[in-house]
């Protein structure tokens, strides 16, 4: 159990320091672009992703760094993407808000409209092919009121799709759309989130259809302090151990920044690459637009 | 010569869907709820044949339909999304542009989207004003999409399979006004290429370029012109993106005159793009300015006579061709 706690702590710290670093780089003008920092609610991505398997899909919003890191997208590739470098996980084409990483089945980095139906489609594809993957979709609570999320949840229920909806926010609980199985969880407690995700995923994998986790967050608390205090109290870690976790995360972030700053840029001549699959026959006459 | 069968455009579309569902178990249809008018006529009857797993009627907006199709395509399926009215298609634009067309590029080559979207388009059936437009040019504007417009029975039958074989998103624009088009089709008709424009009628004096619902009246215009002794060549674009410049430009280089027929509104239209390309690639071969015949720039009205007055007609196309014949530099 303490191995899980330590992993959760590391992941949350990594997210926190990554976002603080991005905000600072943005402030001093070393990265340009729209960087949307994640709120201090790291228990949600850390807890949920700790229970996912390699075959599962993750769909995120435009505040996607946290979910990418929790999913295991390499720190260096993510930082390089924020810097717009060719070593970034999208070769600098997606950027901060549109992180994609195929190896870990991480599918963005989407605007509000983009995510819900894409998650539905992924879950549908897994189900129709008899594949075992669950799709985890992260959304902010205020998006649930939108018609599209309700439509998606209704269909996921009707088709019993392997979809885990992770809905976070600090508003009063909202009525879950349709009759989806909904659980309210303290979203500031990484261990509680992980346990709730584990139960939900077991039900989904057993064919029970979608589950909506309502992960309640509140700004006045800090999920990292909370877990660290609990670990110190139970002597799962001591102050020196905690300091070394901090130091290791800081060092990794520092290396990622240096790597990203020294990384190359995509050749501008390759601007047109990846517009079409490279296996396809070349388009006859696209050059007319050149 | 193989056997031919009597058929319609709508039946050819349905045959193509049926063949696709039979031949590849990854293929399935995602379409609007029929009670909400979202289901295309071509896919009716397929539900009883293939069942609700392969023919999914869902009460989703156009945007959600396309988004679900994108997810399913990434996940290994070969979805065919149906946008049965332009209402659905307009709502689907952000998913089509931002995700279907852009994802492969935006992800640095990681996620291809082998999605086929069928959209019913076009005027000519006294449909409600908000239910149809000709916005082909909007889609053809978007890099990363392939856009095809079947105008013949062969293409109605054959373009779907080619679209499904493409590893990237393809939008098939099916013209509502052509649904009842009758003719014969080879019994063993299969897929066709979706790279090239086709010369539907050879001629020497002027090139008439058209696509989709305008092909028929453009061929009529060529008949009218032939009666006057003018030999018009008719090019059917077939694929609206990427445009087949060599076929269009090659024709104009021979005839030295061009008329572009476009059901869309003139300003910022596909016809404007074609006129620009023709002058870029065949300027020195032109004997007159490139002419355009487009829809009148009003919301195309309901009343049949007003609708007819708004759209290009064989006579207006023939008149435009004659003007290119009689054009003199001042």
């Amino acid at each position: 159990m303490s191995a899980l706690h330590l992993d959760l702590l590391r992941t949350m710290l990594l997210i926190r320091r990554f976002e603080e670093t991005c905000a600072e780089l943005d402030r001093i003008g070393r990265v340009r672009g729209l960087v949307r920092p994640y709120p201090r609610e790291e228990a949600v991505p850390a807890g949920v992703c700790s229970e996912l398997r390699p075959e599962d899909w993750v769909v995120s919003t435009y505040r996607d760094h946290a979910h990418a890191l929790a999913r295991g997208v390499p720190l260096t590739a993510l930082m390089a993407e924020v810097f717009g470098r060719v070593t970034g996980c999208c070769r600098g084409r997606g950027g901060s808000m549109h992180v994609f990483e195929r190896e870990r089945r991480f599918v963005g980095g989407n605007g509000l409209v983009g995510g819900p139906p894409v998650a539905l489609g992924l879950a549908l594809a897994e189900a129709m092919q008899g594949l075992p993957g669950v799709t985890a979709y992260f959304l902010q609570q205020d998006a649930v009121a939108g018609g599209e999320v309700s439509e998606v949840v209704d269909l996921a229920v009707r088709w019993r799709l392997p979809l885990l909806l992770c809905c976070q926010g600090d508003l009063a609980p909202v009525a879950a759309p349709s009759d989806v199985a909904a659980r309210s969880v303290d979203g500031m407690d990484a261990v509680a989130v992980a346990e709730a995700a584990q139960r939900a995923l077991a039900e989904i994998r057993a064919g029970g259809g979608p589950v909506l986790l309502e992960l309640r967050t509140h700004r006045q608390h800090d999920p990292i302090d909370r877990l660290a205090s609990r670990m110190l109290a139970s002597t799962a870690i001591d102050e020196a151990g905690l300091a070394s976790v901090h130091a290791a995360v800081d060092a990794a972030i520092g290396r990622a920044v240096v790597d990203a700053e020294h990384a190359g840029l995509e050749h501008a001549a390759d601007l047109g690459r990846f517009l079409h699959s490279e296996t396809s026959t070349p388009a006859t006459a696209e050059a007319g637009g050149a | 010569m193989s056997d031919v069968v009597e058929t319609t455009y709508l039946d050819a579309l349905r045959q193509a869907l049926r063949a696709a569902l039979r031949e590849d178990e990854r293929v399935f249809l995602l379409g609007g709820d029929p009670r909400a008018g979202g289901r295309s006529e071509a896919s009716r009857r397929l539900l009883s044949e293939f069942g609700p797993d392969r023919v999914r009627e869902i009460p989703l907006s156009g945007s959600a339909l396309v988004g679900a199709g994108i997810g399913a395509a990434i996940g290994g399926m070969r979805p065919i999304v149906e946008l049965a009215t332009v209402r659905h298609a307009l709502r689907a634009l952000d998913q089509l542009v931002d995700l279907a067309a852009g994802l492969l590029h935006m992800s640095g080559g990681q996620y291809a989207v082998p999605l086929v979207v069928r959209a019913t388009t076009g005027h000519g059936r006294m449909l409600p004003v908000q239910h149809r437009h000709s916005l082909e040019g909007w889609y053809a504007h978007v890099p990363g999409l392939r856009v095809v417009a079947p105008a013949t029975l062969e293409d109605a039958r054959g373009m779907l399979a080619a679209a499904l074989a493409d590893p990237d998103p393809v939008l098939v624009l099916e013209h509502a006004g052509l649904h009842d088009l009758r003719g014969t089709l080879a019994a063993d008709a299969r897929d066709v290429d979706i790279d090239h424009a086709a010369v539907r009628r050879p001629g020497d004096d002027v090139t008439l370029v058209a696509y989709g619902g305008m092909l028929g009246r453009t061929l009529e215009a060529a008949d009218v012109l032939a009666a006057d002794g003018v030999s018009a060549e008719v090019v059917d674009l077939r694929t609206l993106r990427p445009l087949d410049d060599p076929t269009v430009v090659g024709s104009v280089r021979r005839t030295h005159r061009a008329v572009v027929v476009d059901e869309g509104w003139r300003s910022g239209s596909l016809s404007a793009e074609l006129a620009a390309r023709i002058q870029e690639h065949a300027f020195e071969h032109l004997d007159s300015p490139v002419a355009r015949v487009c829809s009148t720039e009003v919301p195309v009205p309901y009343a049949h006579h007003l609708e007819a007055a708004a759209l290009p007609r064989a006579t207006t196309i023939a008149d435009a061709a004659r003007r290119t014949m009689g054009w003199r530099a001042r």
Side-chain angles (χ1 to χ4, degrees):
Chain A
M1 184 49 85
S2 70
L4 169 67
H5 290 193
L6 192 57
D7 282 346
L8 291 171
L9 188 69
R10 271 203 202 101
T11 302
M12 290 196 291
L13 268 175
L14 185 64
I15 295 168
R16 175 76 53 91
R17 293 292 296 127
F18 189 93
E19 296 297 68
E20 288 171 353
T21 303
C22 283
E24 177 63 10
L25 290 166
D26 189 26
R27 194 185 64 76
I28 63 176
R30 275 160 81 189
V31 294
R32 285 178 219 142
L34 202 50
V35 175
R36 293 278 189 212
Y38 197 73
R40 295 159 78 91
E41 297 170 358
E42 298 89 346
V44 170
V48 172
C49 290
S50 72
E51 300 300 326
L52 295 176
R53 297 179 183 167
E55 66 267 28
D56 297 332
W57 297 90
V58 177
V59 181
S60 171
T61 64
Y62 52 87
R63 295 185 202 275
D64 55 5
H65 303 167
H67 305 118
L69 289 168
R71 181 55 172 160
V73 172
L75 169 61
T76 47
L78 185 65
M79 187 64 84
E81 189 61 30
V82 172
F83 272 80
R85 307 292 170 162
V86 71
T87 51
C89 46
C90 300
R91 305 174 68 101
R93 284 167 162 80
S96 168
M97 291 208 286
H98 301 301
V99 171
F100 295 90
E101 215 259 359
R102 173 112 215 170
E103 202 179 322
R104 285 157 192 86
R105 298 196 156 200
F106 190 77
V107 191
N110 298 287
L112 192 56
V113 177
V118 171
L120 178 81
L122 283 164
L124 180 60
E126 288 288 312
M128 288 183 80
Q129 295 169 99
L131 295 171
V134 173
T135 300
Y137 175 54
F138 291 92
L139 70 164
Q140 292 290 325
Q141 189 183 40
D142 48 10
V144 176
E148 206 149 87
V149 173
S150 306
E151 288 177 347
V152 161
V153 174
D154 284 344
L155 277 173
V157 170
R158 198 207 294 182
W159 294 339
R160 293 174 80 85
L161 296 185
L163 183 63
L164 178 65
L165 294 133
C166 308
C167 172
Q168 71 189 81
D170 55 1
L171 307 171
V174 292
S178 73
D179 49 358
V180 64
R183 315 279 155 68
S184 186
V185 184
D186 181 353
M188 304 307 279
D189 181 344
V191 178
V193 172
E195 287 168 358
Q198 187 183 44
R199 276 197 306 277
L201 285 162
E203 291 169 28
I204 296 168
R205 292 188 207 285
V211 175
L212 187 148
L213 293 181
E214 191 173 79
L215 302 148
R216 286 173 287 107
T217 56
H218 21 92
R219 299 271 154 85
Q220 61 272 40
H221 294 126
D222 184 330
I224 296 176
D225 286 351
R226 181 163 169 178
L227 181 58
S229 302
R230 189 196 299 188
M231 290 170 72
L232 287 168
S234 70
T235 70
I237 198 167
D238 57 17
E239 290 290 351
L242 196 56
S244 78
V245 172
H246 275 267
V249 166
D250 287 346
I253 299 258
R255 279 194 304 274
V257 170
V258 171
D259 283 355
E261 288 193 311
H262 289 88
L265 296 168
E266 179 80 289
H267 295 293
D270 285 336
L271 182 62
R273 255 189 101 187
F274 309 123
L275 189 59
H276 302 288
S277 291
E278 297 187 345
T279 51
S280 71
T281 50
T284 31
E286 195 84 283
Chain B
M1 183 91 187
S2 64
D3 291 343
V4 296
V5 291
E6 183 87 17
T7 189
T8 64
Y9 184 89
L10 190 60
D11 256 327
L13 293 174
R14 197 180 286 121
Q15 284 173 42
L17 287 168
R18 184 176 284 126
L21 285 161
R22 278 194 188 140
E23 286 163 20
D24 186 344
E25 62 183 19
R26 298 172 304 168
V27 170
F28 71 103
L29 308 188
L30 266 175
D33 187 336
R35 285 156 299 184
R39 164 121 314 212
S40 85
E41 295 181 36
S43 62
R44 284 180 193 149
R45 295 187 222 163
L46 293 174
L47 176 60
S48 57
E49 189 175 343
F50 292 95
D53 281 354
R54 308 284 306 282
V55 180
R56 288 179 185 254
E57 297 182 333
I58 53 178
L60 286 183
S61 64
S63 155
L65 282 170
V66 173
I70 291 166
I74 292 171
M77 299 296 286
R78 287 290 181 276
I80 300 173
V81 169
E82 300 186 323
L83 302 174
T85 70
V86 173
R87 186 105 313 255
H88 289 79
L90 282 173
R91 299 239 168 114
L93 267 176
D94 60 355
Q95 288 281 1
L96 280 171
V97 174
D98 280 346
L99 221 47
L103 183 55
L104 182 66
H105 194 261
M106 183 166 60
S107 68
Q110 294 178 91
Y111 286 114
V113 184
L115 172 69
V116 173
V117 176
R118 300 172 43 232
T120 306
T121 185
H123 304 103
R125 303 204 320 162
M126 286 182 75
L127 290 164
V129 178
Q130 293 183 5
H131 274 223
R132 78 286 186 272
H133 297 285
S134 286
L135 302 177
E136 290 87 347
W138 291 18
Y139 304 114
H141 183 60
V142 182
L145 284 184
R146 179 182 289 269
V147 183
V148 302
T152 65
L153 298 179
E154 286 78 11
D155 283 350
R157 174 65 183 84
M159 278 183 160
L160 182 70
L164 284 165
D166 195 305
D168 298 315
V170 180
L171 183 58
V172 184
L173 298 173
E174 301 165 358
H175 199 284
L178 294 178
H179 278 179
D180 300 329
L181 180 70
R182 283 194 168 277
T184 55
L185 190 60
D188 60 354
R190 300 281 301 174
D191 52 321
V192 294
D193 97 79
I194 49 172
D195 291 317
H196 299 99
V199 174
R200 298 297 186 196
R201 174 185 176 123
D204 301 320
D205 297 331
V206 57
T207 297
L208 310 179
V209 183
Y211 64 90
M214 294 297 105
L215 177 63
R217 55 192 71 188
T218 303
L219 288 166
E220 280 175 46
D223 285 340
V224 171
L225 290 165
D228 295 350
V230 175
S231 165
E233 177 147 302
V234 177
V235 175
D236 173 8
L237 287 176
R238 300 182 69 248
T239 295
L240 311 185
R241 186 181 187 100
L243 285 168
D244 177 4
D245 289 343
T247 298
V248 173
V249 170
S251 174
V252 175
R253 282 181 177 165
R254 278 186 282 102
T255 64
H256 309 293
R257 294 173 188 84
V259 178
V260 184
V261 184
D262 190 345
E263 191 173 346
W265 291 305
R266 184 186 193 90
S267 302
S269 63
L270 200 55
S271 71
E273 178 63 29
L274 281 154
R277 289 185 186 217
I278 291 168
Q279 64 86 15
E280 282 166 357
H281 298 298
F283 182 73
E284 68 278 19
H285 298 275
L286 285 170
D287 285 348
S288 80
V290 178
R292 290 192 282 157
V293 183
C294 306
S295 286
T296 308
E297 298 203 356
V298 295
V300 178
Y302 170 78
H304 184 66
H305 71 293
L306 293 177
E307 181 182 64
L311 299 178
R313 300 185 298 284
T315 50
T316 54
I317 297 164
D319 286 348
R322 286 192 200 95
R323 281 196 295 279
T324 67
M325 301 297 296
W327 189 85
R328 294 280 179 277
R330 272 174 246 182

